[in-house]
Amino acid sequence: FDLGPDLELCAGESAVLNPNYGTGVYEWQDGSSNMSFTVNQAGTYSLSIAEGSCVGNDEVVVNYTLIPVFDLGEDLLVCYSDEVNLEVITGLDGVNVTWNTGQSGTVISPNSSGNYQATANLNNCIYSDGLELEIIPPIQVDLGPDQVVCDGQRVLLDPELQGFDYPLSYSWSEQNFETTLEVSSSGTYELEVESQCDVLRDDVLILFEQCGC
């Protein structure tokens, strides 16, 4: 009979040793006499089968490998200027780490938003973890060129940041906090826009003049 080759198992796994022999007097290394033996820890497992005056023996070595568990942490919301390092720390030697980006190694430094998954492999014992990375982009505040317009008209000043998907606060020099400002008198108008990552300012000169006769 044959118990098969030595086994390499991952922590938490079990295996059933079965000689597939049939009748006979079975004796495992612990003295038990079942026709099969379930293993869940490392060691050398032996079996003798007696049938009449004939006795056969075999043994198998079972080794266990720890699963390379790690934690990439919570999802991240960061500024475009922040340096981001995602690192796999297992505390084990010989671990091979691959990422869903196609990169390999324990550390990557992503620079774009997305889902990042790492897989750690130690002797075919595999563990994966992932997170969502969201990077807040920069803003650009531009009130446009200075303008000369006719008296009686109104000018709408709009920094055109409607496509920015993150919170913004607006502060105009006229103590107005709306996203746009409508003006009807000459002057220099200033705007400060603050995001989680930036504080930017711009100003524009608007001159109202009498037009025509």
Side-chain angles (χ1 to χ4, degrees), residues 142-148 155 157 202-206:
D142 184 5
L143 294 176
D146 296 342
Q147 300 183 49
V148 178
V155 175
L157 301 180
D202 193 28
D203 60 64
V204 63
L205 174 64
I206 307 295

Side-chain angles (χ1 to χ4, degrees), residues 188-202:
T188 298
Y189 295 89
E190 299 175 352
L191 170 63
E192 178 181 282
V193 180
E194 182 174 357
S195 72
Q196 184 173 328
C197 304
D198 290 301
V199 178
L200 296 179
R201 300 171 182 83
D202 193 28

Side-chain angles (χ1 to χ4, degrees), residues 112-176:
S112 61
S113 297
N115 177 268
Y116 291 86
Q117 297 278 339
T119 299
N121 186 326
L122 180 60
N123 296 332
N124 290 320
C125 296
I126 295 172
Y127 189 85
S128 295
D129 191 31
L131 56 74
E132 289 288 336
L133 171 63
E134 191 170 358
I135 300 177
I136 300 175
I139 58 174
Q140 298 202 1
V141 178
D142 184 5
L143 294 176
D146 296 342
Q147 300 183 49
V148 178
V149 297
C150 297
D151 287 337
Q153 294 183 345
R154 305 181 75 85
V155 175
L156 181 66
L157 301 180
D158 185 353
E160 297 183 350
L161 292 168
Q162 292 84 352
F164 190 80
D165 297 327
Y166 303 90
L168 293 171
S169 63
Y170 295 77
S171 178
W172 297 87
S173 52
E174 282 60 39
Q175 300 302 308
N176 184 299

Side-chain angles (χ1 to χ4, degrees), residues 51-110:
E51 191 171 4
S53 60
C54 297
V55 178
N57 297 278
D58 194 20
E59 69 178 22
V60 63
V61 176
V62 178
N63 294 310
Y64 272 87
T65 297
L66 292 175
I67 296 174
V69 176
F70 63 94
D71 183 7
L72 288 179
E74 301 295 326
D75 293 344
L76 294 175
L77 177 65
V78 301
C79 295
Y80 67 92
S81 57
D82 294 338
E83 180 178 355
V84 178
N85 293 313
L86 304 181
E87 183 173 11
V88 171
I89 300 175
T90 65
L92 302 173
D93 294 329
V95 178
N96 179 51
V97 179
T98 56
W99 299 80
N100 62 339
T101 59
Q103 297 167 275
S104 60
T106 57
V107 181
I108 63 171
S109 301

